[in-house]
Amino acid sequence: MKKFGIFISLLFLLVSCGDNKTENNKVLYLYGWADYVPSEIFDNFEKETGIKVVEDIYSSNEEMFAKLKAGGKGYDIVTPSTDYVEILMNENMLEKLDKSKLPTFDNIDPMVLEKIQYFDKDNSYAVPYIMGSTGIAVNTKYVKDYPRDYTIYERTDLAGRMTLLDDMREVLTSALGTLGYSQTIEDETAIAQASDLVKKWKKNIAKFDSESFGKGFANGDFWVVHGYAENIYQELDEEQRAHTDFIIPEKGDTAYVDSFVILKDAPNKEAAYKFLEFIHRPENYKLVSEHLELPSINVPARELIEIEPIYKMEDLKGSEILRDIKKTLDIQNKYWQEIMVD
């Protein structure tokens, strides 16, 4: 989840991601997204087990991966998005799960597990945490009679009032999907067509923005933003929410499954298993879903949740999860750079 901006929450100040940490079985080191796990979860886990969770924050999957590849050690659990779980698996950096230590794994919606089986065939490495959509938020106070897909970015009357994520994978995948192509297509002609479509969209947007789109939407600077519902809705009051429509397009929609993974060199794997078992207990996962206002991937927790999610799990059935596109990454990078300078 590129999701909640950068701020320090339970951040421990250590150089090179904890090279000087000791193997303290009463401390669990988690490397993840900011404000992603409710602090109440950490507090309750420590009360029950005596294990303190110390959290370090990254702002992108790329930052996380670069730090680990550069030799950063000491982390037990990381929270990558789907494509980076696949990359970490391919780099032989992950511990294969001992499911006997994860009885609550069975609480996870089979649809979510199926979504990641294209690379984690037996669900042996990733414990899904959240599934969500990268969609389009529309301020219905100012925008009327709009298409419910990416063709909204062709609306010249909205020029300067729209943003797209500053994220090659998200934007090009959505453009490819809008044209009817898969994100893994290797035909450069198709990628070039998607690039041309994004250039068309670019003429009408104010900017590519992955940091402040939620705030910009809330303060009225932008009426149409591409991004993550949880980033947007946390900025809105009740009146603003009443005239916000979050679109999950039928074509070009991307979804994410952020998962917990245990690193192969994790110093405290037993604490990691205890935490993953703990978070998927229904009464604990309820706190997660209510905190993020996203649909619960934990089936029994759905009976406990009192806050209506922004969208429903059924809305994500047709969404395409981002994959590792190593075969075409350089080609897509080439066209993305052209988009940026065009």
Side-chain angles (χ1 to χ4, degrees), residues 93-112:
M93 296 169 69
L94 300 183
E95 178 79 4
K96 188 172 182 179
L97 297 173
D98 180 351
K99 297 281 189 58
S100 69
K101 298 178 180 179
L102 296 171
T104 58
F105 192 91
D106 292 339
N107 291 338
I108 300 171
D109 191 324
M111 186 267 281
V112 178

Side-chain angles (χ1 to χ4, degrees), residues 153-173:
Y153 285 98
E154 299 174 20
R155 290 268 299 264
T156 56
D157 61 311
L158 298 176
R161 292 291 190 175
M162 303 189 289
T163 68
L164 285 165
L165 285 172
D166 187 8
D167 187 308
M168 179 194 78
R169 292 301 320 285
E170 293 281 15
V171 175
L172 278 178
T173 299

Side-chain angles (χ1 to χ4, degrees), residues 83-100:
D83 48 339
Y84 272 82
V85 176
E86 187 175 2
I87 290 169
L88 290 167
M89 282 178 57
N90 292 337
E91 293 287 332
N92 197 31
M93 296 169 69
L94 300 183
E95 178 79 4
K96 188 172 182 179
L97 297 173
D98 180 351
K99 297 281 189 58
S100 69

Side-chain angles (χ1 to χ4, degrees), residues 158 196 312:
L158 298 176
D196 288 341
K312 299 183 184 302

Side-chain angles (χ1 to χ4, degrees), residues 169 172-173 175-177 179-195 320 323-332 335:
R169 292 301 320 285
L172 278 178
T173 299
L176 285 165
L179 294 170
Y181 298 123
S182 167
Q183 63 179 294
T184 57
I185 192 167
E186 296 180 24
D187 181 1
E188 188 170 347
T189 301
I191 297 172
Q193 289 174 5
S195 174
E320 190 171 11
R323 299 189 57 174
D324 180 9
I325 54 164
K326 50 183 173 291
K327 290 185 178 180
T328 60
L329 182 61
D330 289 342
I331 297 173
Q332 290 202 22
Y335 283 99

Side-chain angles (χ1 to χ4, degrees), residues 125-162:
Y125 291 91
V127 178
Y129 176 58
I130 282 292
M131 183 174 179
S133 173
T134 309
I136 305 167
V138 178
N139 187 328
T140 59
K141 185 176 180 179
Y142 302 109
V143 184
K144 312 294 183 182
D145 302 321
Y146 47 89
R148 301 186 64 78
D149 56 34
Y150 283 95
T151 61
I152 194 171
Y153 285 98
E154 299 174 20
R155 290 268 299 264
T156 56
D157 61 311
L158 298 176
R161 292 291 190 175
M162 303 189 289

